[in-house]
Amino acid sequence: MTLRIAMWSGPRNISTAMMRAFSSRPDTHVSDEPFYGAFLKATGEPHPMAAETIADMDCDWRSVAQKQKGDPPDGSAVWYQKHMPHHMVGEIGLGEFLESHRHAFLIRAPECVVASYRKKNELREPEMLGFAQVRDYVEQVIEATGDVPPIVDSDDILEDPETMLRKLCAALGLDWNVAMLSWEEGPHPQDGVWGAHWYDRVNRSTGFAGAPGPMPELEGDYARVAEACAADYAWLHERAIA
């Protein structure tokens, strides 16, 4: 029986590096933001490479959801799915996957997310970073199961990848595999077409980048966006794996 892991996060939360780590496991197939095309088509958001992404993907959320609840394309024992709550618009939401998946959440300090995101796309509002949606999804899992799902902070992973990945695997019911600490440089076959714009840094990597630097200093609208996300991040961080 396949273990389906839904890893939820906002953008620029080292989510692609985490996908790389799981793709290095011999027992795991990975999927890269399968609802991204449906989100772009439904909202018309002017993201970089939006037209190419829509043309390349299944943009019917019902069809995508059915596939994600099925068997992985290669028959792997574990199916790691990289998802973003703010891609789930309209009728689709977490409830579609509550029973079919094991849920985990990746978070990062808003200042770091803002500083990274603004280099890649116009940042107009806090909702584009997904903090409130991630918190809402965590609350839904708690309400449905009575337990806090695994939440990991990106900075903790960068500080000590092996310790944090061991703890995450244990929380997910997976055996630890040292292969998760490294991967091949360059684009990977499972990457979305949008990786040509978003994944330049992770494509130059062969492992987690190392201890994070000082907290970025933000001004003006960027500082206001980060501040708007602070309460949700603090709530999530309080419940994260330490």
Side-chain angles (χ1 to χ4, degrees):
M1 182 176 178
T2 299
L3 170 61
R4 301 178 198 85
I5 298 170
M7 176 62 85
W8 301 94
S9 78
R12 317 310 286 177
N13 279 238
I14 73 164
S15 55
T16 306
M18 184 68 81
M19 182 176 70
R20 290 279 191 273
F22 274 87
S23 72
S24 297
R25 295 177 60 99
D27 61 353
T28 301
H29 178 77
V30 301
S31 293
D32 191 10
E33 301 179 32
F35 289 95
Y36 192 21
F39 163 78
L40 291 172
K41 186 174 181 178
T43 64
E45 276 288 329
H47 282 202
M49 300 190 69
E52 294 89 341
T53 299
I54 291 171
D56 188 64
M57 298 188 76
D58 181 353
C59 295
D60 179 351
W61 70 260
R62 294 175 179 83
S63 171
V64 176
Q66 194 63 34
K67 291 174 184 174
Q68 300 306 121
K69 292 189 290 185
D71 296 324
D74 64 355
S76 292
V78 181
W79 191 355
Y80 179 91
Q81 301 174 9
K82 173 188 167 192
H83 291 297
M84 296 196 173
H86 64 283
H87 289 171
M88 313 296 277
V89 297
E91 299 176 60
I92 183 66
L94 179 70
E96 189 79 29
F97 305 104
L98 266 175
E99 297 183 1
S100 58
H101 289 62
R102 195 164 296 175
H103 300 275
F105 296 84
L106 184 63
I107 62 173
R108 192 180 189 189
E111 295 86 350
C112 296
V113 174
V114 170
S116 179
Y117 190 92
R118 67 180 180 179
K119 297 175 184 177
K120 292 292 184 180
N121 194 23
E122 178 188 7
L123 181 55
R124 303 187 306 276
E125 53 195 15
E127 288 76 15
M128 297 175 72
L129 303 181
F131 283 91
Q133 295 95 321
V134 170
R135 176 175 175 174
D136 176 62
Y137 275 25
V138 170
E139 290 177 330
Q140 288 187 51
V141 174
I142 293 172
E143 182 177 358
T145 67
D147 296 317
V148 177
I151 304 170
V152 285
D153 194 295
S154 298
D155 281 352
D156 292 336
I157 295 169
L158 295 174
E159 185 77 38
D160 189 350
E162 181 169 350
T163 296
M164 294 309 299
L165 289 174
R166 281 181 177 272
K167 290 181 178 181
L168 175 60
C169 286
L172 291 169
L174 289 174
D175 293 332
W176 163 247
N177 193 311
V178 70
M180 296 178 71
L181 295 175
S182 61
W183 49 81
E184 292 185 5
E185 185 177 359
H188 285 206
Q190 295 83 13
D191 292 352
V193 66
W194 57 89
H197 174 82
W198 293 93
Y199 295 172
D200 53 322
R201 184 171 182 181
V202 75
N203 285 344
R204 296 194 301 270
S205 72
T206 57
F208 289 98
M215 192 67 69
E217 294 186 7
L218 304 173
E219 298 179 351
D221 289 341
Y222 293 121
R224 284 189 284 275
V225 169
E227 178 60 28
C229 300
D232 289 321
Y233 170 73
W235 186 93
L236 292 159
H237 189 265
E238 183 180 350
R239 291 156 178 80
I241 296 171

